[in-house]
Amino acid sequence: MARSVAAHRQAVQELLSGLARKEGTEELPLKEGTEELPLMGALGRVLAADVLAPLSLPPFANSQMDGFAVRAADLAPHAGSDAGAELKVVDPVPAGAAPVRLMPGTAAPIMTGAMMPEGADAVVPIEQAVPDVFPAPGVAATVRLPTTEPGTFVRDAGSDIAAGTVALRAGTTLGPGQLGLLAALGMTAVEVRTPVRVLLVTTGDEVVEPGTVLPQGKIYDSNGTLLEAAMLQSGLHVTRTRISGDDPADLLALLRSRSGTIDLIVSTGGVSKGAYEVVRQAMNGQPVEFVSVAMQPGGPQGIGTFDGLPFLGFPGNPVSCLVSFEMFLRPALAAVVGSPALRPSLQARLAESLTSPAGKHQVRRGTLLPGGTVRLEGGPGSHLIHALANSNVLVQVPAAVTELDAGAEVEVWML
């Protein structure tokens, strides 16, 4: 009987549980190794420890607008007067300057982001001033400004983050926003976890490396590039071997030549029930199970350990191996070591009808269009890599569903 997608995902998570350990209530990587990297080198990596803000952001109160820095009390209405007041214009405050104290009855032209002068507690935008232009530097001038409240158009020091508070938590995946924050805090390097190290092996006499002559009856290997790219994009460290043919002894020698430098082995191809399933043959005597998962594509799966190392055998068709990564390995790693992040999931409506085999969770490829409609790309076949390349979502069709009409709501995972 075929194993459900949920059951196999759980099995993969349990297989990889050795990559993490519990310490109190915090889950930490098994490997104690961390490394310090320059910010751009840390893109996509996972933060090893909490980062405390070494300074406040903003580090000083500054203006949110081009306008006039004022004392709000100077513009407060009083009996017998119009709202606002006419103030003497003093020296301007450009961004990056250290201003002098603002005296009562004066207004300082101030630029966006410039430091608020001591004594000033509000900014009046230039558009509200009469005249609504800044006077030339050194020219004596006055300006009429309306009533305003203290704090208006002022960014307080620490209003984004206060010094000494947690800026980023351990386990955070570092993307552009996170690296930008670290740079704003004055940091140039950050401590990240050593990534999970994956040995990636493509198998099969029928595949050859791109860039070589293509003999009759053979195809170029796309699985290695497809999976390596997905893994690298997910923050994993990938060691990719040469292609292993259909000789089990050759595959065993290849795997054992790299066993001391990896945490996980992933192979593609050779896991079905055919006559030349090299991965099945090579794993004879190892605690590796070959199962059928109720999923299309990606039904045949291998799972277990090889010489004590976690081993996953993905099918050989290109779409099948990528779907296997997204459905099983990505969520298992996210659960065990906190990275990579799960794919964003949302609901969309089918642009066309579809059918799905009874009892199988079908994963179709599609393009999410403006307005929340998803157009299917290609058919359900596991070889349709062109359709995959033109897709931006994986469409999830549960095992209990055999057909859906156009307009039906489906779950999609963003690629």
Side-chain angles (χ1 to χ4, degrees), residues 53-78:
L55 52 82
S56 294
L57 293 180
F60 49 82
N62 66 86
S63 176
Q64 188 177 336
M65 307 285 286
D66 290 343
F68 289 90
V70 298
R71 295 170 176 264
D74 287 342
L75 302 175
H78 55 274

Side-chain angles (χ1 to χ4, degrees), residues 328-377:
F328 304 126
L329 184 51
R330 176 187 287 274
L333 288 171
V336 172
V337 299
S339 175
L342 295 175
R343 288 292 189 186
S345 170
L346 50 86
Q347 298 297 120
R349 295 193 177 277
L350 287 172
E352 61 210 88
S353 63
L354 64 76
T355 60
S356 184
K360 287 191 176 182
H361 182 114
Q362 189 181 66
V363 183
R364 295 288 293 270
R365 280 67 65 203
T367 298
L368 186 64
L369 303 171
T373 299
V374 60
R375 179 186 68 225
L376 299 177
E377 299 288 351

Side-chain angles (χ1 to χ4, degrees), residues 195-202 209-210 221-243 258 264-268 314-315 317-318 321-326 329-330 333 340 343 385 388:
V196 173
R197 302 166 300 177
V198 183
L199 181 67
L200 177 59
V201 187
T202 300
E209 293 286 359
D221 171 39
S222 61
N223 291 4
T225 298
L226 191 62
L227 277 178
E228 182 180 11
M231 291 174 177
L232 290 175
Q233 193 179 58
S234 301
L236 307 182
H237 182 279
V238 183
T239 299
R240 186 170 157 189
T241 72
R242 61 175 172 79
I243 296 171
R258 307 295 182 95
L264 167 67
I265 300 170
V266 174
S267 69
T268 69
F314 290 164
N317 279 309
C321 71
L322 182 69
V323 167
S324 298
F325 173 79
E326 295 295 344
L329 184 51
R330 176 187 287 274
L333 288 171
R343 288 292 189 186
I385 193 168
L388 174 65

Side-chain angles (χ1 to χ4, degrees), residues 257-282:
S257 69
R258 307 295 182 95
S259 61
T261 60
I262 56 175
D263 304 306
L264 167 67
I265 300 170
V266 174
S267 69
T268 69
V271 296
S272 297
K273 296 181 179 180
Y276 301 99
E277 303 301 327
V278 64
V279 174
R280 276 181 173 264
Q281 296 170 14

